[in-house]
Amino acid sequence: MTWSSAEAGLLARAVERAPSVHNLRPWAVEAVADRAELYERAEAQLPRHDPTGRDRIISCGAALANLELAVCALGRRPETVLFPESARSGLLASVTAPRRYEATDDELSLYSAIFRRHSYRAPFSSHVLTAADLRELLGGGDGAEARVVTEQDSLAELLCYAGRVLRDDRAYQRELRAWSTQFPEPLPENSTLPWTGLVTAHTHLPDARTLADRLAREGLFVVVTPDDTRRDHLAAGAVMQRTWLRAVARGLVGSVLTQPLHLHEVRAGFIERLNLPGFPQLLLRLGYPVTATPAAALAAVTARETP
């Protein structure tokens, strides 16, 4: 098959709505003949925030998840090859769709959620997600998996330490100020953990006990991969996005933290103190928005998805 211009536009719109570090959108998608190709834009660099480009590839993994769901929504079964042989550098994935396919209700639900997902950086409502609620959101793929975090005390100590280091890192803060003019919304002057996504010079850092209490009222996942290669980072981004979309489809909101994991000692602390079987790539926090009860959130989702 060959993509029509309308189909190519639908794929591009879905990819455009993927989350990305500093809203850089470090990808490019091309619908060429019978395939859609996802490329990394390596020029989208953040030397202090993302020195190895790990977050950039995680962002591309989220874009790939959106691309595959959009192909499903078009009535085709996506067949994805990661890091295919190509004369062009930066090619991360090639998606073909040779066969007609009836998307499942779950796939259509996730595709619809792409256009409602946003980063929610505020306290959640008082309704705490149960262990059963969190298990329903679990998923994995290509070796990456989302795991529920229950060690709030250890996590709070690690996040407090990371916050202090990043707040006092002058080079990091200069880069953050330079990029902040390009954010869709200005960085809050008096943000606080865990709700701030980026630790600025003005971020309030609570004591570990206070932060642990706050974390106990959140649904927390860590995405873990067996290795730490670019393929693992791409898989982590895809698992993160599908987990997040699954949450949005159930009326939840969320946000992602990667910043602390760029500190080697914090990443090592995650592995040891959270007893992880691999490499932690990101932390995903989920909950109900403060303005909605679970019943109201479900009613709103149902209303939006009714033809």
Side-chain angles (χ1 to χ4, degrees), residues 12 30 33-34 114 119 142 144 150 176 198 216 223 280:
E30 296 182 9
D34 63 344
I114 288 172
S119 292
D142 205 23
T150 57
L176 185 57
L198 300 164
V223 175

Side-chain angles (χ1 to χ4, degrees), residues 6-276:
E7 289 171 332
L10 184 146
L11 298 178
R13 285 192 295 276
V15 169
E16 186 76 1
R17 293 302 297 265
S20 61
V21 58
H22 279 14
N23 203 37
L24 279 176
R25 297 187 177 92
W27 57 71
V29 63
E30 296 182 9
V32 183
D34 63 344
R35 65 192 184 279
E37 297 179 334
L38 184 73
Y39 291 86
E40 173 193 8
R41 291 198 304 109
E43 72 275 12
Q45 295 187 8
L46 296 165
R48 296 297 299 186
H49 177 97
D50 187 26
T52 65
R54 186 170 73 223
D55 283 5
R56 186 170 65 237
I57 301 300
I58 289 173
S59 300
C60 290
L64 177 60
N66 282 12
L67 177 60
E68 291 173 330
L69 288 168
V71 171
C72 289
L74 287 173
R76 294 281 175 174
R77 180 184 291 278
E79 296 182 2
T80 302
V81 177
L82 301 182
F83 300 99
E85 295 291 334
S86 172
R88 295 187 61 180
S89 63
L91 180 59
L92 299 176
S94 178
V95 181
T96 57
R99 290 179 291 166
R100 299 298 303 177
Y101 172 68
E102 184 175 350
T104 66
D105 290 342
D106 183 58
E107 288 166 338
L108 292 175
S109 177
L110 296 187
Y111 171 74
S112 175
I114 288 172
F115 304 96
R116 303 197 304 275
R117 185 216 58 81
H118 66 282
S119 292
Y120 182 91
R121 302 206 179 278
F124 297 128
S125 80
S126 58
H127 178 79
V128 179
L129 296 173
T130 67
D133 293 331
L134 297 175
R135 283 195 298 271
E136 289 183 357
L137 302 175
L138 287 174
D142 205 23
E145 63 170 327
R147 297 170 64 94
V148 178
V149 177
T150 57
E151 303 88 342
Q152 286 86 2
D153 290 345
S154 294
L155 182 59
E157 292 177 9
L158 292 167
L159 293 181
C160 283
Y161 169 83
R164 290 193 296 270
V165 172
L166 293 166
R167 190 177 62 179
D168 295 338
D169 185 333
R170 294 184 179 181
Y172 172 82
Q173 291 298 329
R174 283 195 298 270
E175 181 180 270
L176 185 57
R177 286 195 298 272
W179 277 99
S180 65
T181 59
Q182 303 184 40
F183 293 160
E185 299 178 1
L187 290 174
E189 281 297 307
N190 295 300
S191 55
T192 188
L193 295 180
W195 309 308
T196 179
L198 300 164
V199 175
T200 72
H202 304 287
T203 297
H204 172 64
L205 303 179
D207 61 83
R209 180 68 265 158
T210 299
L211 181 56
D213 289 342
R214 293 174 181 175
L215 294 174
R217 297 193 291 272
E218 305 209 347
L220 296 167
F221 294 88
V222 60
V223 175
V224 183
T225 57
D227 207 340
D228 202 26
T229 67
R230 285 162 58 85
R231 180 181 290 268
D232 291 283
H233 303 159
L234 199 65
V239 168
M240 171 202 75
Q241 180 69 346
R242 287 179 176 269
T243 303
W244 198 345
L245 294 177
R246 200 171 292 117
V248 171
R250 288 163 171 75
L252 305 176
V253 290
S255 63
V256 170
L257 297 174
T258 60
Q259 206 181 17
L261 292 170
H262 286 289
L263 299 175
H264 298 300
E265 63 274 30
V266 172
R267 203 177 191 205
F270 265 63
I271 295 171
E272 178 184 357
R273 301 182 68 174
L274 305 186
N275 195 29
L276 300 180

